[in-house]
Amino acid sequence: MSSRSGLRILLIGRGGRESCIAWKLSQSALVEKVFVAPGNGGTAAGIEKVSNIKGASEDDYPRLVEIAKELKVNLVVPGPDACIVDGIEGHFRAVNIPCFAPTKEAAQVEGSKSFAKDFMARHGIPTAKYRNFTDFGSAKAYLESISHRVVIKASGLAAGKGVILPETPEEALEALKDIMLNRKFGVAGAEVVIEEYLEGEELSILTFSDGTTFRSMPPAQDHKRIFDGDQGPNTGGMGCYAPTKIASKSGLQEIDEHILKPTFDGLRSEGIPFVGLLFTGIMLTKSGPKVLEYNARFGDPETQTLLPLISNKTDFAEVLLACVDGRLHQIDIAMDDKSCAVVVIASGGYPGSYPQGKEIKIESSEDLPGFLNIFHAGTRLKENGTLVTSGGRVMAVSATADSLDEAVKRAYTGVSMVSFDGMFYRRDIAHRLVLQKSTRVD
């Protein structure tokens, strides 16, 4: 165990992921205080040891460094993809403040899908066949030369929405125009990846790493599409459950040996060891598991699904410290033998435009049972104490239980405790494994 105590942590972000990380860190005996910059309505009050830093911006790195110095912070935990990909870790490394995040160079695995695909090709990591393009004409000609179904991805960061799954050649061409010509995702679409469409079941693996050793949490399965039955446009994630049983023990071992180990070894061999949390999206195809994407940070809502399953025997803050200290080999991450289900509550209109400032009411929010958590995301606490919406994904209701069926029921019971004008949520989370009728909330 670490001899370090009295941890004063700067947690950067404002989403449901950060709410969950703050909640889990607050349970650590090593932690004295968690400052969330800028935080949300949930981290503003109600979590012991946790408070917000008003007026802080996730991309104002000099100011965040000043804040860390002023508050005597001795560990920084960035949440959002943009600041991690932009190299926030280096700003704190320059002033000798430990930061649980990869370097800007290592974070390219998320920041550039073309870099990630080329990296996988160099190291023999199984993934879909692909081509990278920076010229629309060349990309269009390639599309017209093939007959198989494709996936089109903006290479840069697009808030989790830059992946298009066209069903026809016409839709594929339209998606290409939207990304490359109309710049639907801004500069993220200056380069695109066109890859073969993979069929199978998808799962997410979240893995801690100190650059050499890696430790994964159980596999999770999220729900990206906005509507029931996996219909409609992609979102940042509308729900999740874990552990998923779609991968066998031997399948998970294959993922470790043929995907995760070559990934961490490959990054280290290229002089950019990955320290932090790597999210690997994997498709279980008939020919074996293949990588869909890497993210250089905690997933959302996977974080709200997996952290509640970490046993009280494991100190979460100690795990993060072990990664930045290069001693993860000394740590075991114990997980409870339970299931967790998360249902995301969104503003009507999301992932498109949506109203903000809608008053939120939560029944019995101060007396929730231990198995239920309501993690705030797009919320804001007004000066008069009123809680209002401030984002597309507003809350993530997380519940644990001995069975997935019961966890899903508990999560939807939690959803029924929340109300605001225009609230929307999927009613079929974990529908592949649980009968939909058991997840309904009237």
Side-chain angles (χ1 to χ4, degrees), residues 31 42 70 91 106 112 122 127 158 170 204 208 213 232 238 253 256-257 294 303 310 319 339 384 405 418:
V31 172
E70 291 168 3
H91 292 270
S112 170
R122 288 195 298 274
T127 188
E170 293 75 21
S204 305
F208 297 95
T213 301
M238 291 300 295
Q253 186 175 355
D256 263 9
E257 293 177 357
Y294 294 119
T303 300
I310 294 179
V319 175
S339 291
N384 64 5
D405 188 11
V418 179

Short mmCIF file of all heavy atoms in Angstrom, two decimals, residues 31 42 70 91 106 112 122 127 158 170 204 208 213 232 238 253 256-257 294 303 310 319 339 384 405 418:
data_model
loop_
_atom_site.label_atom_id
_atom_site.label_comp_id
_atom_site.label_asym_id
_atom_site.label_seq_id
_atom_site.Cartn_x
_atom_site.Cartn_y
_atom_site.Cartn_z
N VAL A 31 -7.75 9.84 0.74
CA VAL A 31 -8.18 11.11 0.16
C VAL A 31 -8.67 12.08 1.24
O VAL A 31 -9.54 11.75 2.05
CB VAL A 31 -9.28 10.89 -0.89
CG1 VAL A 31 -9.87 12.22 -1.35
CG2 VAL A 31 -8.72 10.11 -2.08
N GLY A 42 -24.28 17.83 -9.20
CA GLY A 42 -24.12 16.72 -8.27
C GLY A 42 -22.86 16.81 -7.44
O GLY A 42 -22.84 16.45 -6.26
N GLU A 70 -2.32 26.40 -5.78
CA GLU A 70 -2.98 27.14 -4.70
C GLU A 70 -3.62 26.19 -3.69
O GLU A 70 -3.60 26.45 -2.48
CB GLU A 70 -4.05 28.07 -5.27
CG GLU A 70 -3.50 29.25 -6.08
CD GLU A 70 -4.59 29.96 -6.86
OE1 GLU A 70 -5.78 29.58 -6.73
OE2 GLU A 70 -4.25 30.89 -7.62
N HIS A 91 1.37 19.58 -18.84
CA HIS A 91 1.34 20.83 -18.09
C HIS A 91 1.59 20.57 -16.60
O HIS A 91 2.27 21.36 -15.93
CB HIS A 91 0.00 21.54 -18.28
CG HIS A 91 -0.20 22.05 -19.68
ND1 HIS A 91 0.17 23.32 -20.07
CD2 HIS A 91 -0.72 21.45 -20.78
CE1 HIS A 91 -0.13 23.49 -21.35
NE2 HIS A 91 -0.66 22.37 -21.80
N ALA A 106 0.94 9.49 -26.41
CA ALA A 106 0.24 8.22 -26.22
C ALA A 106 -1.26 8.37 -26.45
O ALA A 106 -1.93 7.42 -26.91
CB ALA A 106 0.51 7.68 -24.81
N SER A 112 -6.52 10.48 -32.86
CA SER A 112 -6.44 10.27 -34.30
C SER A 112 -6.78 8.82 -34.62
O SER A 112 -5.99 7.91 -34.34
CB SER A 112 -5.04 10.60 -34.84
OG SER A 112 -4.90 10.19 -36.18
N ARG A 122 0.74 -1.89 -37.54
CA ARG A 122 2.17 -2.09 -37.28
C ARG A 122 2.42 -3.22 -36.29
O ARG A 122 3.43 -3.92 -36.36
CB ARG A 122 2.80 -0.80 -36.73
CG ARG A 122 2.96 0.30 -37.74
CD ARG A 122 3.91 1.39 -37.24
NE ARG A 122 3.47 2.07 -36.04
CZ ARG A 122 2.65 3.12 -36.03
NH1 ARG A 122 2.15 3.59 -37.17
NH2 ARG A 122 2.33 3.72 -34.88
N THR A 127 -8.08 -5.87 -36.18
CA THR A 127 -9.04 -4.79 -36.35
C THR A 127 -9.64 -4.91 -37.75
O THR A 127 -9.19 -5.72 -38.57
CB THR A 127 -8.38 -3.42 -36.14
OG1 THR A 127 -9.38 -2.40 -36.13
CG2 THR A 127 -7.36 -3.11 -37.22
N ALA A 158 -14.83 13.82 -31.89
CA ALA A 158 -16.17 14.31 -32.27
C ALA A 158 -17.19 14.02 -31.20
O ALA A 158 -18.35 13.72 -31.49
CB ALA A 158 -16.59 13.71 -33.60
N GLU A 170 -25.52 4.88 -51.03
CA GLU A 170 -25.96 6.27 -51.10
C GLU A 170 -25.78 6.96 -49.74
O GLU A 170 -25.32 8.10 -49.67
CB GLU A 170 -27.43 6.34 -51.54
CG GLU A 170 -27.70 5.90 -52.96
CD GLU A 170 -27.65 4.38 -53.14
OE1 GLU A 170 -27.81 3.65 -52.13
OE2 GLU A 170 -27.45 3.91 -54.28
N SER A 204 -16.88 -3.45 -24.12
CA SER A 204 -15.90 -2.44 -23.75
C SER A 204 -15.02 -2.98 -22.63
O SER A 204 -15.53 -3.54 -21.65
CB SER A 204 -16.59 -1.16 -23.28
OG SER A 204 -17.51 -0.68 -24.24
N PHE A 208 -6.52 -0.28 -16.53
CA PHE A 208 -5.54 0.58 -15.87
C PHE A 208 -4.14 0.15 -16.32
O PHE A 208 -3.87 -1.04 -16.48
CB PHE A 208 -5.62 0.45 -14.35
CG PHE A 208 -6.93 0.89 -13.76
CD1 PHE A 208 -7.94 -0.03 -13.49
CD2 PHE A 208 -7.16 2.23 -13.47
CE1 PHE A 208 -9.15 0.38 -12.93
CE2 PHE A 208 -8.37 2.65 -12.92
CZ PHE A 208 -9.36 1.73 -12.65
N THR A 213 2.69 -2.72 -16.68
CA THR A 213 1.67 -3.62 -16.16
C THR A 213 0.29 -3.08 -16.51
O THR A 213 0.09 -1.86 -16.56
CB THR A 213 1.80 -3.73 -14.63
OG1 THR A 213 3.10 -4.23 -14.31
CG2 THR A 213 0.75 -4.67 -14.04
N GLY A 232 -31.77 4.85 -34.48
CA GLY A 232 -31.47 6.27 -34.42
C GLY A 232 -29.98 6.56 -34.40
O GLY A 232 -29.14 5.66 -34.48
N MET A 238 -26.25 5.78 -23.96
CA MET A 238 -27.55 5.91 -23.31
C MET A 238 -27.76 4.90 -22.19
O MET A 238 -28.80 4.91 -21.53
CB MET A 238 -28.67 5.77 -24.34
CG MET A 238 -28.75 6.92 -25.33
SD MET A 238 -29.05 8.51 -24.52
CE MET A 238 -30.69 8.25 -23.84
N GLN A 253 -9.30 -14.09 -22.38
CA GLN A 253 -7.85 -14.37 -22.37
C GLN A 253 -7.24 -14.02 -23.73
O GLN A 253 -6.14 -13.47 -23.82
CB GLN A 253 -7.60 -15.84 -22.04
CG GLN A 253 -6.13 -16.17 -21.88
CD GLN A 253 -5.92 -17.61 -21.43
OE1 GLN A 253 -6.85 -18.33 -21.13
NE2 GLN A 253 -4.66 -18.03 -21.35
N ASP A 256 -6.80 -10.31 -23.89
CA ASP A 256 -5.59 -9.94 -23.13
C ASP A 256 -4.32 -10.18 -23.95
O ASP A 256 -3.46 -9.31 -24.05
CB ASP A 256 -5.52 -10.75 -21.83
CG ASP A 256 -6.07 -9.99 -20.64
OD1 ASP A 256 -6.66 -8.92 -20.83
OD2 ASP A 256 -5.92 -10.49 -19.51
N GLU A 257 -4.22 -11.38 -24.53
CA GLU A 257 -2.98 -11.79 -25.16
C GLU A 257 -2.77 -11.18 -26.54
O GLU A 257 -1.63 -10.87 -26.92
CB GLU A 257 -2.95 -13.32 -25.28
CG GLU A 257 -2.87 -14.03 -23.93
CD GLU A 257 -2.90 -15.54 -24.04
OE1 GLU A 257 -3.05 -16.04 -25.19
OE2 GLU A 257 -2.79 -16.23 -23.01
N TYR A 294 -9.96 2.83 -29.65
CA TYR A 294 -9.35 3.09 -28.35
C TYR A 294 -9.85 4.45 -27.86
O TYR A 294 -10.01 5.39 -28.64
CB TYR A 294 -7.82 3.20 -28.47
CG TYR A 294 -7.07 1.95 -28.86
CD1 TYR A 294 -6.31 1.94 -30.02
CD2 TYR A 294 -7.07 0.82 -28.05
CE1 TYR A 294 -5.56 0.83 -30.38
CE2 TYR A 294 -6.33 -0.30 -28.41
CZ TYR A 294 -5.58 -0.29 -29.58
OH TYR A 294 -4.84 -1.40 -29.92
N THR A 303 -17.93 4.03 -16.91
CA THR A 303 -17.38 4.35 -15.58
C THR A 303 -18.43 4.20 -14.50
O THR A 303 -18.18 3.62 -13.43
CB THR A 303 -16.82 5.79 -15.58
OG1 THR A 303 -15.79 5.87 -16.56
CG2 THR A 303 -16.26 6.17 -14.22
N ILE A 310 -16.26 -2.08 -8.04
CA ILE A 310 -14.96 -2.26 -7.38
C ILE A 310 -15.19 -2.49 -5.90
O ILE A 310 -15.88 -1.72 -5.22
CB ILE A 310 -14.06 -1.04 -7.61
CG1 ILE A 310 -13.69 -0.91 -9.09
CG2 ILE A 310 -12.78 -1.15 -6.77
CD1 ILE A 310 -12.80 0.28 -9.40
N VAL A 319 -5.15 2.70 -6.57
CA VAL A 319 -4.97 2.18 -7.93
C VAL A 319 -4.42 3.27 -8.85
O VAL A 319 -3.48 3.05 -9.61
CB VAL A 319 -6.29 1.63 -8.49
CG1 VAL A 319 -6.12 1.19 -9.95
CG2 VAL A 319 -6.79 0.45 -7.66
N SER A 339 -23.77 -7.55 -10.41
CA SER A 339 -24.00 -6.90 -11.69
C SER A 339 -24.36 -5.45 -11.46
O SER A 339 -24.87 -5.08 -10.39
CB SER A 339 -25.14 -7.59 -12.45
OG SER A 339 -24.77 -8.88 -12.87
N ASN A 384 -30.05 29.78 -5.86
CA ASN A 384 -31.16 29.57 -4.92
C ASN A 384 -31.35 28.10 -4.54
O ASN A 384 -32.31 27.75 -3.86
CB ASN A 384 -32.45 30.13 -5.50
CG ASN A 384 -32.90 29.41 -6.77
OD1 ASN A 384 -32.28 28.42 -7.18
ND2 ASN A 384 -33.96 29.89 -7.40
N ASP A 405 -30.74 -8.99 -13.95
CA ASP A 405 -32.18 -8.73 -14.00
C ASP A 405 -32.59 -7.76 -12.89
O ASP A 405 -33.28 -6.76 -13.13
CB ASP A 405 -32.93 -10.05 -13.86
CG ASP A 405 -34.43 -9.91 -14.11
OD1 ASP A 405 -34.84 -8.84 -14.59
OD2 ASP A 405 -35.17 -10.86 -13.83
N VAL A 418 -36.75 10.49 -10.83
CA VAL A 418 -36.27 11.74 -11.44
C VAL A 418 -37.33 12.28 -12.39
O VAL A 418 -37.94 11.52 -13.14
CB VAL A 418 -34.96 11.50 -12.22
CG1 VAL A 418 -34.48 12.79 -12.88
CG2 VAL A 418 -33.89 10.92 -11.31
#
